[in-house]
Amino acid sequence: LFIHWGLYSELGGQWEGKDYFGSGEWLMNRAKIPAARYAQIAARFNPVDFNAAQWAAVARASGVKYIVITAKHHEGFAMFDSKVTDFDIVDATPYKKDPMKALADATRAQGLKFGFYYSQFLDWHEPDGGGNTWDFPKKGKDYQRYYQTKAIPQLKELLSNYGPLGIVWFDMPGGLTTAQTREMIAPLRKLQPNCLFSSRVGHDLGDYRDFGDSEVPPVPIHQPWEAIFTDNDTWGYITRDKNFKSSTQIIQLLAEVASKGGNLMLNVGPDGRGNFPPYEVKYLLETGKWLNRYGESIYGTTYGLIPAQPWGVTTSRPGKLLLHVFTPPLDDTLHVPFSGARVSAVRVMGSG
């Protein structure tokens, strides 16, 4: 489960009465909102409906195995209690609490892995951060100063103050050479040697490969990799976006990703009060019921032994080929172009 949550969630894709299209978390960029004015949104951001135990329980019931949430997105606002800046949810909002601490604890209580997303280069709030050229001319930026005074200290806070993490999901590499990136992550790895770093840390220095947004490779990938999709048409909450993926669409996407040997991280975008949209919860829980019955075809599997077919895809585990039939043939005859092994039994999973 991927969760995009920040000040943009409060705005819901709207600025000064105008709707902006594209992803909700890019609103500040789309509308070219001055950093000082955008920061004022924090004064009304008060997610009083946020319930960490409820979020974690929904994740577990949905068959999720790990959660990654935006600790800081491109807007520069920290969704945790950062001592590096006052532009964070504890210091700048009426909420005055650290939801990341509560969610980390609740996630582990459900037996799930917990991780943080962190936008390491883009930071539209900071004069030296990447991306904001409508307030801060690119010519005068000192990216090294930004990394040393904000990005790296905040990453150290996240790796030090929230218990054992499964992943730090870096995003938007930039401003650093290969050597400088190695220098950045070396002390971070020492803080949590069992924590995975995503490939978007840059320069091929991640522990596994993340593809582009909403991308599945055409062929199996013979290394650990992850596909990232969002449950509707945006990552951050947009009020008008109701185009949620049904449970059937989620299940088939999950099977497709698994058939290429990957993990699926599916995003939800809570609103400014801290609520998951109801339809997202409905479809996630339906997916969880399916996984409770058919999870053997997903968990612990790898890529299928035959390529995608007109009827669907396959996953595999030792001694088993698992057929995910999306479109049953009209004549009820399933053609499986498989050779090189003796078939000892065929059964419909769950029925014997």
Side-chain angles (χ1 to χ4, degrees):
L1 189 68
F2 209 179
I3 302 173
H4 274 64
W5 198 34
L7 290 185
Y8 46 82
S9 308
E10 176 68 23
L11 294 169
Q14 220 179 49
W15 180 252
E16 294 185 334
K18 181 179 177 181
D19 287 331
Y20 286 83
F21 295 90
S23 292
E25 74 283 2
W26 277 78
L27 179 63
M28 182 180 175
N29 177 286
R30 295 272 192 273
K32 297 295 183 282
I33 305 170
R37 289 194 63 199
Y38 189 84
Q40 294 171 6
I41 301 303
R44 72 184 210 218
F45 182 51
N46 191 17
V48 292
D49 293 345
F50 168 69
N51 185 320
Q54 183 182 54
W55 282 19
V58 167
R60 183 184 175 105
S62 302
V64 163
K65 298 297 185 184
Y66 60 110
I67 291 176
V68 175
I69 188 169
T70 50
K72 178 187 81 75
H73 208 274
H74 313 329
E75 65 182 3
F77 183 75
M79 289 293 292
F80 62 101
D81 186 12
S82 176
K83 306 306 180 187
V84 176
T85 175
D86 289 337
F87 193 47
D88 68 72
I89 193 166
V90 174
D91 294 310
T93 79
Y95 188 64
K96 299 298 178 191
K97 292 180 283 189
D98 187 339
M100 300 297 101
K101 177 67 174 133
L103 187 60
D105 293 342
T107 299
R108 293 190 201 98
Q110 289 287 351
L112 310 178
K113 297 285 187 181
F114 183 74
F116 287 118
Y117 165 108
Y118 191 87
S119 177
Q120 77 250 34
F121 177 61
L122 292 190
D123 191 317
W124 302 325
H125 182 73
E126 303 296 337
D128 290 321
N132 183 346
T133 54
W134 58 94
D135 279 326
F136 315 116
K138 186 175 181 180
K139 187 176 180 181
K141 290 178 181 289
D142 184 340
Y143 297 133
Q144 278 296 306
R145 182 163 58 198
Y146 163 72
Y147 273 105
Q148 295 302 320
T149 59
K150 185 173 183 180
I152 294 175
Q154 283 194 333
L155 283 162
K156 288 180 177 178
E157 288 180 322
L158 294 171
L159 285 156
S160 301
N161 300 336
Y162 294 88
L165 302 181
I167 288 176
V168 173
W169 211 96
F170 293 88
D171 195 18
M172 293 296 182
L176 297 179
T177 65
T178 302
Q180 289 168 334
T181 303
R182 284 199 182 96
E183 186 179 348
M184 176 182 76
I185 64 177
L188 301 179
R189 288 196 181 279
K190 289 180 180 178
L191 291 172
Q192 295 220 26
N194 295 321
C195 178
L196 297 174
F197 288 179
S198 73
S199 61
R200 293 195 189 184
V201 72
H203 300 291
D204 296 320
L205 295 175
D207 297 308
Y208 64 95
R209 183 174 177 183
D210 271 296
F211 280 82
D213 296 358
S214 308
E215 180 184 6
V216 178
V219 296
I221 302 297
H222 299 265
Q223 68 178 90
W225 70 274
E226 179 183 62
I228 59 166
F229 280 75
T230 189
D231 195 32
N232 50 354
D233 293 329
T234 181
W235 301 82
Y237 177 73
I238 287 185
T239 308
R240 65 186 175 276
D241 184 358
K242 311 295 185 185
N243 190 30
F244 300 112
K245 290 178 176 64
S246 69
S247 52
T248 297
Q249 290 174 302
I250 295 171
I251 290 162
Q252 292 189 359
L253 176 61
L254 182 57
E256 182 187 1
V257 171
S259 79
K260 307 290 178 57
N263 278 7
L264 173 65
M265 188 157 67
L266 185 70
N267 177 75
V268 299
D271 65 23
R273 292 181 64 88
N275 298 296
F276 286 167
Y279 275 105
E280 285 188 318
V281 174
K282 168 181 163 61
Y283 294 138
L284 283 170
L285 293 177
E286 288 175 0
T287 301
K289 289 180 180 178
W290 184 91
L291 282 164
N292 193 46
R293 184 173 183 183
Y294 300 113
E296 182 190 353
S297 69
I298 300 291
Y299 300 126
T301 65
T302 187
Y303 53 87
L305 302 178
I306 61 172
Q309 298 297 307
W311 45 259
V313 298
T314 67
T315 56
S316 66
R317 57 196 315 140
K320 290 185 180 179
L321 179 67
L322 302 130
L323 314 180
H324 294 261
V325 184
F326 300 163
T327 309
L330 293 177
D331 64 358
D332 289 330
T333 302
L334 199 67
H335 294 275
V336 184
F338 185 65
S339 62
R342 183 177 59 84
V343 178
S344 61
V346 179
R347 66 180 174 89
V348 177
M349 185 175 287
S351 74

